[in-house]
Every structure is written in C-alpha cells, then in structure tokens.
Amino acid sequence: MEVAFFIPPTVGSREELMEGLAGRRTDLYQRMLKDLTEIAQFMDEYGYFGMGFTEHHLSVEGMTLSNSPSMLGLYLANQTKHLNFGALGYVLPVHDPLRVAAEVTMLDQMTQGRAFAGFARGVQTRWINTMAQHRYSLADNITDPKQYDDDRRRLFYEHLEIILKAWDNDTFSHKGDFWTIPAPKTAWPGQRMSREMGGRSLDADGNLVEVGVAPAMYNRKRPIMFEPFSVSHSSIETAASNGLIPIGIMCDPEIVSQQIDAAQRGWEKAGVSTKRGEKLGFARYMIVGETDEEAMEFAELAMFEWTYFFAQFGFNAVLAKQGEDWRDIPSTIPEFIKRGILFCGSPDTVNRQLEAALKTMPIEYLWLFTPNELLPQKMMMKHLDLMTRKVLPNFTDKIGPNIHRKAAA
C-alpha cells in the first residue's frame, strides 16, 4: 500500500485566520512554505508516495490557498529526492487542456519523472464561475443547475481526451463539442521550420493540421493519474474506465465495498485486470498522539478545516450510511472517529482502527488529509513521527526509516 498526503494548503492557525485576510499575508505564506518543506523532507526520507495539492483560487481567507499545485510541487521537489508531486486535482472544466498537459510535462521533466496528475470537476463556485464565465453556463448555475453540471461533465471529459492525446502523440488533432485543434484554416508563417522539423503539422496550403505539446513526459509515457474525490459508484467506475485511479472518500463499509467493486468493473472496461482494491485509493484523516487524550487535542485543532470549511460544501455526506440524511450528522471529533473518516488516538488505538478499516477497504493508495498550519508545526511533526514509526509500517512495507537506501541495497 502506498501512502500519500493530500494537502489543501492553509497559511495560518485558526486564530490567525480569524484575524482576516490571512491569505494576503507574506509572513504566513513564507512560514507555510518552510513548514511544508520540513514535512516533505520527512516524507521523502521515510518512503511516502507523494504529496498532492488541491487547486483553489481567490482564497484571500487563507484556507485552501493553492493557485498552482504544480508550482508548489516543483518548489518542494527541488528540496526532495524521491517524493512525487501533483495536483489533486486540476479542475478541468476551467482550464485550457493544452496548458494543463504542458504544465504536467514540465513538472515531470524538472523532477525527472516524479509528477503525477489529478483531475476534478470542481465544486467551488466562487472561482469556477468567475474564472470560467466564458464557458457556456459555468457562470450561471442558479438559473439552470442541470445545464451547469452537464457542461462541467462534458468539458471535463473532452479536456481529458485532449490531454491524453497530447501525452500520447508527438502531434495530434482533435474535433469535439468545445474544441477544434488546431483552429480551422490557421495559416502558419513558420512553414519551413515546421515542414523540416515539426512532423505532420501542415497541409499542402500551409494551414495547420496537427499540433503537439512540448516537452514530452520525462519517460514518454502517461503519468499516474487520479480522480479525487469520487462519491458515487458511477463516478468511481467511470474514472477507472478512463484510466484514472479513483480516490474514494465515502466511509460506510457497505458503500466502500460497493465502490471497490465499481472500480474493478471500471478497470475491466479499460481492459485492465485488477485484484480487488488494486488501482484504487481512499482518503482519510489520521491523527496520532502519544496517548488518546493528546491525539484528541491535536484533532480538535486539525479538524477545524472540515468542521468550519469543508462541511459548508456538504462534505458530511461522505459520512452517511445508505438512506441516511447527512444533514443530521454532527461535526464532532467522536463522530468523525465513529464514522471512519478519522483515525485518531495513540499508536495502539490507531493501529486497531486502521486494521479494522482495511479489512473492508483493501486499497493500493491511502491518501491522508493533512491540515498543515492548523496543527502547529511542533505538534504536526510529533504526529508524523508517531504515525510513521509506530503505525504505518504495520500495514505497508513502503514506509520506514532509510527505506530508499534499503531498496537500493
């Protein structure tokens, strides 16, 4: 089992955020970079798979402040040796797909093959509707919410198709509902260069017929691709059928079991034979202290991002059982532990919780929500040390001290 951190970067403590406009403060942003570097270097030493960042914009409040996941990943990759970095994920309906394809290839080249990619449809209307207002109904989800959701879905899959073409081919063309690539009847003054050096780019009249993204991926193959955070069975199955490793987030064991089956069906549609739980991830929180009491103190600080922020977007729905109204579920630490979104306690307690969960949730990737800055750095590093030395090695041979030197030997 691979273990990775999902970080929706926050720049300050609860108290600092409440002072207002924390996202605009240089002192807090610089401290966050320093603290993330310490976390990344610790992960690098102990064999974690990688660190993924959400894509959110306009976050002047200071929570989920991640305008460019790839730039943040490159900053940390330059200070590590093994850790993988990427977006979880690019909100594709908003983007120019050619720019996304090129940005991932640049990250992959600059890290010599340590880039992964994540793709999402997005839920935050503030920045999606603002930055994608030129795209059909994406600025008008009030008058026609069905059209809004349909356009996001259609844009997502067409953009994914274009990105994969760009990675798989030196040059390519595309004609879909939203994009014609290259643009029709585009005359290209640099004909000599393209005819002699650029492959099949031009027709006899000098109009573009194909384009390509440069550079290519470091190893000239697709990166590992994820789709966070899948809620429905159909989204799990569809993600896998398109070659994306789904990252589930539902908590009820019965639902989780059904989604594991859905992922396996999806990979079968993609022509990939998998074992149950292979090519599948799930996201959870984990907070470890020396005692249950200390871990609860850590959790009260760390879970502020869920209780104060994520819950506003209806995320408590992932805690519900089938047929249960999620709006009746209280946002409390004991409830999070009971429902299984949070493993919390001493090493012995968390070992028991994780052991029970993995019996019904066999997975290849465990993505851990990691609330940086909300948990002060000294507490964060203590939690990471306990989790890394006393919990995770009991469940995966990927995690341990000097893991990379041992593998090389």
Side-chain angles (χ1 to χ4, degrees), residues 111-395:
T111 62
Q112 297 186 329
R114 289 195 281 145
F116 60 82
F119 303 120
R121 298 184 197 180
V123 297
Q124 289 203 4
T125 52
R126 175 172 65 179
W127 74 265
I128 293 173
N129 293 12
T130 300
M131 297 175 70
Q133 59 188 280
H134 58 296
R135 296 200 190 280
Y136 292 77
S137 70
L138 295 197
D140 189 18
N141 66 323
I142 296 176
T143 58
D144 195 347
K146 183 178 183 301
Q147 186 67 44
Y148 178 83
D149 287 341
D150 184 57
D151 282 348
R152 282 192 308 148
R153 177 186 58 78
R154 291 167 61 220
L155 278 162
F156 177 91
Y157 286 112
E158 184 163 340
H159 287 185
L160 177 62
E161 182 182 353
I162 293 168
I163 290 167
L164 296 181
K165 284 182 177 180
W167 287 341
D168 291 347
N169 301 279
D170 291 329
T171 61
F172 71 98
S173 62
H174 173 85
K175 186 171 180 58
D177 294 336
F178 301 98
W179 293 87
T180 299
I181 299 173
K185 299 297 181 181
T186 297
W188 174 233
Q191 290 186 34
R192 179 180 178 184
M193 174 186 70
S194 293
R195 290 192 189 283
E196 294 179 359
M197 299 188 292
R200 300 170 299 176
S201 300
L202 302 169
D203 64 14
D205 297 322
N207 296 314
L208 289 171
V209 293
E210 289 192 349
V211 295
V213 164
M217 297 295 293
Y218 179 71
N219 289 313
R220 299 189 66 85
K221 63 180 182 180
R222 296 178 183 180
I224 297 174
M225 298 182 293
F226 297 96
E227 185 176 322
F229 291 103
S230 301
V231 173
S232 70
H233 301 353
S234 61
S235 63
I236 292 267
E237 184 172 337
T238 302
S241 69
N242 281 281
L244 307 177
I245 296 172
I247 304 176
I249 193 173
M250 299 299 288
C251 295
D252 178 64
E254 183 177 347
I255 297 175
V256 168
S257 179
Q258 293 167 355
Q259 293 191 336
I260 293 171
D261 293 338
Q264 200 163 20
R265 290 195 302 272
W267 286 112
E268 287 175 3
K269 290 181 179 178
V272 179
S273 177
T274 61
K275 298 177 183 177
R276 198 163 187 273
E278 188 181 6
K279 293 187 178 296
L280 176 65
F282 265 81
R284 296 290 186 261
Y285 283 89
M286 184 179 292
I287 299 294
V288 186
E290 290 185 1
T291 65
D292 290 349
E293 293 73 22
E294 182 179 63
M296 290 291 284
E297 292 174 8
F298 289 179
E300 289 290 348
L301 297 170
M303 297 301 292
F304 175 70
E305 72 173 353
W306 186 283
T307 58
Y308 184 81
F309 184 68
F310 291 147
Q312 295 182 72
F313 293 88
F315 275 34
N316 274 8
V318 308
L319 308 176
K321 299 178 180 179
Q322 296 190 80
E324 183 180 17
D325 189 339
W326 61 266
R327 288 163 291 198
D328 297 330
I329 300 173
S331 292
T332 65
I333 303 303
E335 194 71 22
F336 296 149
I337 296 172
K338 172 186 171 184
R339 299 274 177 168
I341 192 69
L342 169 64
F343 306 126
C344 179
S346 68
D348 286 345
T349 296
V350 175
N351 275 312
R352 290 194 297 271
Q353 293 169 345
L354 186 56
E355 181 180 21
L358 292 178
K359 287 180 180 178
T360 57
M361 190 178 71
I363 48 175
E364 186 173 353
Y365 295 89
L366 176 62
W367 281 93
L368 296 176
F369 283 102
T370 304
N372 69 300
E373 301 302 291
L374 291 171
L375 190 61
Q377 190 71 359
K378 184 176 181 180
M379 296 180 184
M380 172 65 75
M381 298 311 298
K382 181 176 184 179
H383 145 68
L384 293 183
D385 182 66
L386 289 168
M387 179 178 72
T388 303
R389 290 189 299 107
K390 297 189 176 183
V391 177
L392 293 176
N394 296 320
F395 302 95

Side-chain angles (χ1 to χ4, degrees), residues 42-58:
F42 179 92
M43 295 173 67
D44 198 51
E45 174 66 19
Y46 281 88
Y48 286 86
F49 168 78
M51 186 181 284
F53 304 105
T54 189
E55 181 195 13
H56 288 160
H57 300 269
L58 312 181

